[in-house]
């Protein structure tokens, strides 16, 4: 490996990545990026499973992908641009018994997103993600996903548009939320290309109240495509909100014609235009958030992302680091790359000592060692496990990706920061466990920090069920640390608390002043013994 690296350097083939790469690891949005891009393969979050295939449904008349899209709209619909309140804030969870939110869609969507709900993935972000995944997986465009939404703690105002209301009312409702007539037409048409109207929910529209009755908006209800517009324009549409016998209920008919069909003609013109118009308006829809929320830039797959699975003292003289590197790649490159890490010691080795800081990684093999996303993203995983002497320890690492066939190298240094590892607080996962509901978290904390009187605590996410919503709530509780034995430069600190089963999939931080180990999962705790160190 070193020979190749040297040869490449001599050939002037070293590429430094531009320092403009915005992403700096770790980020509080890492979790949402994982949920967006890791859909299948070696490591998968599998969010797409809820809508794959696009016909997927909990019962024959329902269609999950359509429900996810409708949920995002209803949650957003009551936004008040003037006051900056409402919008996509998951307040829909408190509003499912309102007649304007009739149907199974909302609790159906939330019961799925609940699986991914955490301190780093709000219900509102998950609703936005759900819409992006549903559309992206069912033939539609890649809608940019920004994150950072916060969840409402109570229901918002009434006002979701309903089919019996007149055009003027609909125009006013959309205008209140910040959308003009053309926006309204595009948003409704892009929303009404999948799914349909249910007999049991809107029998006055379908004129058939049978539970199994559903009338679709267009003839390709499981595809995100422009048929909703072409069929409307060529007069073949069966859209129940256009051709209902009771014209009062034909809200799509009034809305689609509101600008003399100009917007509908543009949407119908070709698939590319339809996708681009829908992507624009639906991105604006999910980005309609309370004015107190600042959203990130759209998430893009991160080229090289480390995952640390364990960073702990293994004995008095060594710290072990286990983890993986996720490298974005292509079919052409996937078998022609290797990844090496160079670690940065925290202290220089003694005068006569040498330190080999090169860490080789091993390509993952399960599922070909690759993961994929719904927009064609491909990632290759490289595993590593190495020990560093406590005398020098580690404060971070850089990564080098080598094209094996050419020797060409690309260096990744986390936008100039190096990928940081702070050995001040080490989560001793092997010494931590949960027996019944009693959890024990053990940390090794640098002696200097403990001796300075810095308290060491766990900030634990406790999940609990709340009345009036199927989305659980999360509250952070503090578990105080008890100082124990000293091992070299570290002191062991034990934090204990009770965890009901509803909290067995939550996360915690270990905090010692400014030093933290963040977002550690509790789900593995129950299957471990608290091993003696
Ligand atoms: C004036 C505005 C709108 C009105 C009056 C309206 C009305 C309706 C009605 C009555 C249904 C049938 C629900 C059921 O039977 O379960 C429906 C379904 C649906 N709506 Fe809308 N809608 C509007 C705008 C939108 C927008 C802007 C979107 C998304 C961007 C959207 C997405 C959907 C979807 C995906 C379904 C199908 C749900 C399923 O099949 O379960 N709607 N809409």
């Amino acid at each position: 490996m070193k020979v190749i690296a040297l040869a490449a350097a001599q050939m002037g083939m070293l590429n430094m990545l531009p320092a403009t790469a915005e992403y700096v690891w770790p980020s509080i949005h890492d979790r949402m990026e994982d949920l967006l891009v890791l859909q299948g393969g070696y490591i998968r979050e599998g969010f797409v499973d809820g809508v794959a295939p696009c016909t997927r449904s909990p019962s024959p008349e329902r269609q999950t992908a359509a429900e996810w899209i409708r949920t995002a709209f209803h949650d957003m619909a009551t936004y008040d641009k003037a006051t900056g309140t409402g919008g996509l804030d998951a307040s829909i969870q408190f509003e499912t018994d309102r007649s304007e939110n009739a149907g199974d869609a909302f609790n159906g969507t939330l019961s799925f997103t609940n699986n991914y709900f955490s301190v780093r993935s709000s219900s509102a972000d998950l609703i936005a993600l759900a819409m992006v995944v549903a559309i992206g997986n069912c033939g539609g465009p890649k809608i940019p996903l920004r994150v950072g939404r916060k969840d409402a703690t109570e229901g918002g105002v009434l006002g979701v548009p309903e089919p019996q209301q007149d055009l003027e009312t609909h125009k006013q409702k959309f205008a209140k939320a910040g959308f003009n007539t053309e926006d309204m037409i595009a948003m409704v048409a892009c929303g009404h290309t999948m799914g349909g109207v249910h007999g049991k929910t809107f029998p006055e529209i379908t004129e058939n109240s049978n539970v199994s009755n559903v009338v679709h908006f267009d003839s390709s209800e499981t595809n995100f495509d422009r048929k909703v517009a072409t069929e409307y324009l060529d007069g073949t549409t069966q859209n129940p909100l256009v051709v209902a016998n009771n014209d009062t209920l034909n809200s799509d008919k009034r809305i689609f014609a509101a600008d003399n069909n100009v917007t509908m003609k543009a949407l119908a013109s070709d698939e590319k235009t339809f996708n681009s118009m829908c992507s624009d308006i639906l991105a604006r829809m999910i980005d309609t958030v309370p004015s107190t929320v600042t959203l990130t830039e759209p998430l893009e797959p991160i080229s090289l992302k480390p995952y640390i699975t364990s960073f702990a003292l293994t004995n008095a003289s060594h710290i072990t680091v286990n983890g993986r590197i996720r490298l974005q790649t292509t079919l052409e490159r996937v078998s022609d790359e290797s990844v090496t890490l160079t670690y940065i010691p925290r202290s220089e080795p003694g005068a006569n000592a040498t330190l080999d800081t090169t860490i080789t990684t091993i390509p993952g093999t399960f599922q070909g060692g690759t993961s994929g996303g719904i927009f064609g993203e491909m990632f290759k995983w490289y595993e590593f496990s190495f020990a560093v002497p406590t005398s020098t320890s580690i404060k971070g690492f850089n990564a080098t990706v080598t094209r094996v066939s050419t020797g060409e190298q690309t260096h990744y240094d986390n936008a100039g920061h190096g990928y940081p590892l702070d050995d001040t607080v080490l989560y001793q996962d092997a010494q931590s466990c949960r027996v019944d509901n009693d959890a024990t978290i053990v940390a090794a904390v640098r002696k200097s920090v403990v001796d300075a009187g810095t308290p060491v605590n766990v900030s634990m996410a406790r999940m609990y069920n709340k009345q009036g919503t199927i989305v659980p709530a999360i509250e952070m509780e503090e578990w105080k640390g008890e100082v124990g034995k000293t091992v070299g430069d570290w002191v062991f600190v034990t934090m204990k608390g009770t965890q009901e089963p509803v909290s067995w999939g939550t996360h915690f931080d270990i905090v010692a002043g400014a030093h933290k180990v963040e977002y550690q999962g509790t789900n593995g705790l129950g299957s471990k013994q608290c091993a003696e160190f």
Side-chain angles (χ1 to χ4, degrees), residues 123-187:
S123 227
D125 272 347
L126 294 171
I127 290 171
L129 171 70
M131 190 202 76
V132 169
V133 170
I135 292 174
N137 190 53
C138 298
K142 178 177 169 181
I143 296 168
L145 177 68
R146 299 168 194 268
V147 295
R149 292 171 193 77
K150 294 196 170 63
D151 292 344
T153 51
E154 57 186 16
V157 294
L158 287 154
V160 177
E162 295 179 77
Q164 75 283 2
Q165 293 158 340
D166 62 16
L167 182 61
E168 207 40 51
T169 307
H170 284 154
K171 279 186 181 174
Q172 279 166 17
K173 283 176 184 273
F174 277 85
K176 184 180 174 205
F179 299 98
N180 65 23
T181 301
E182 288 73 30
D183 296 337
M184 171 179 75
I185 299 166
M187 201 191 293

Side-chain angles (χ1 to χ4, degrees), residues 61-63 65-67 69-70 73-74 102-105 131 161-163 170 174 184 187-188 190-192 194-199 201-202 205 214 217 241 251-252 255 282 285:
E61 79 288 358
R62 292 174 61 185
Q63 191 193 328
E67 293 187 354
I69 299 167
R70 185 170 179 236
F73 171 59
H74 280 236
D104 300 316
M131 190 202 76
E162 295 179 77
H170 284 154
F174 277 85
M184 171 179 75
M187 201 191 293
V188 176
C190 296
H192 288 173
M194 296 184 68
V197 179
H198 295 87
T201 319
F202 288 96
I205 298 175
V214 53
F217 291 123
L241 295 177
S251 54
D252 278 10
I255 289 172
L282 296 178
M285 181 178 103

Side-chain angles (χ1 to χ4, degrees), residues 148-411:
R149 292 171 193 77
K150 294 196 170 63
D151 292 344
T153 51
E154 57 186 16
V157 294
L158 287 154
V160 177
E162 295 179 77
Q164 75 283 2
Q165 293 158 340
D166 62 16
L167 182 61
E168 207 40 51
T169 307
H170 284 154
K171 279 186 181 174
Q172 279 166 17
K173 283 176 184 273
F174 277 85
K176 184 180 174 205
F179 299 98
N180 65 23
T181 301
E182 288 73 30
D183 296 337
M184 171 179 75
I185 299 166
M187 201 191 293
V188 176
C190 296
H192 288 173
T193 175
M194 296 184 68
V197 179
H198 295 87
K200 75 168 181 187
T201 319
F202 288 96
E204 66 282 17
I205 298 175
T206 62
E207 296 182 30
N208 174 350
S209 62
N210 201 305
V211 173
S212 62
N213 177 250
V214 53
V215 186
H216 297 124
F217 291 123
D218 70 16
S219 60
S220 56
E221 73 280 0
T222 55
N223 257 8
F224 191 92
D225 63 17
R226 70 194 155 114
K227 285 219 169 105
V228 61
T230 54
E231 292 173 2
Y232 161 76
L233 288 171
D234 69 18
T236 59
T237 188
Q238 297 300 309
N239 178 343
L241 295 177
V242 174
V243 300
N245 281 324
N246 179 349
D247 205 32
T248 308
L249 301 170
N250 279 327
S251 54
D252 278 10
K253 181 176 158 191
R254 291 185 289 273
I255 289 172
F256 291 173
D259 68 351
N260 295 318
N261 289 338
V262 173
T263 302
M264 291 305 281
K265 281 181 185 157
L267 285 165
S269 58
D270 58 72
E271 213 60 56
K272 209 170 151 224
T273 309
F274 181 79
N275 279 344
S276 120
M277 287 174 72
C278 290
S279 177
D280 285 352
I281 192 66
L282 296 178
R284 280 179 58 202
M285 181 178 103
I286 57 174
D287 290 350
T288 297
V289 293
S291 57
T292 48
V293 170
T294 307
L295 296 177
T296 62
E297 287 299 305
L299 294 184
E300 284 298 332
I302 288 148
S303 317
L304 184 144
K305 190 173 175 186
Y307 294 72
I308 304 297
T309 48
S310 172
F311 177 36
L313 276 178
T314 29
N315 53 46
S317 57
H318 283 93
I319 293 175
T320 301
V321 190
N322 294 325
R324 303 183 186 92
I325 297 291
R326 190 196 83 188
L327 178 69
Q328 189 169 19
T329 186
T330 60
L331 255 186
E332 184 215 343
R333 294 204 320 257
V334 65
S335 308
D336 187 33
E337 287 171 319
S338 70
V339 176
T340 332
L341 309 180
T342 310
Y343 85 82
I344 310 156
R346 177 179 164 127
S347 328
E348 289 305 318
N352 296 324
T354 53
L355 193 63
D356 182 3
T357 56
T358 306
I359 312 296
T360 49
T361 67
I362 299 166
T365 51
F366 174 67
Q367 299 267 337
T370 60
S371 294
I374 55 171
F375 301 111
E377 308 93 331
M378 185 180 194
F379 305 96
K380 175 86 184 176
W381 294 85
Y382 296 84
E383 301 162 353
F384 58 80
S385 176
F386 62 94
V388 297
T390 50
S391 54
T392 52
S393 191
I394 179 170
K395 68 174 182 190
F397 57 88
N398 290 307
T400 302
V401 177
T402 305
R403 276 302 284 268
V404 178
S405 58
T406 62
E408 186 183 355
Q409 294 193 318
T410 307
H411 292 288

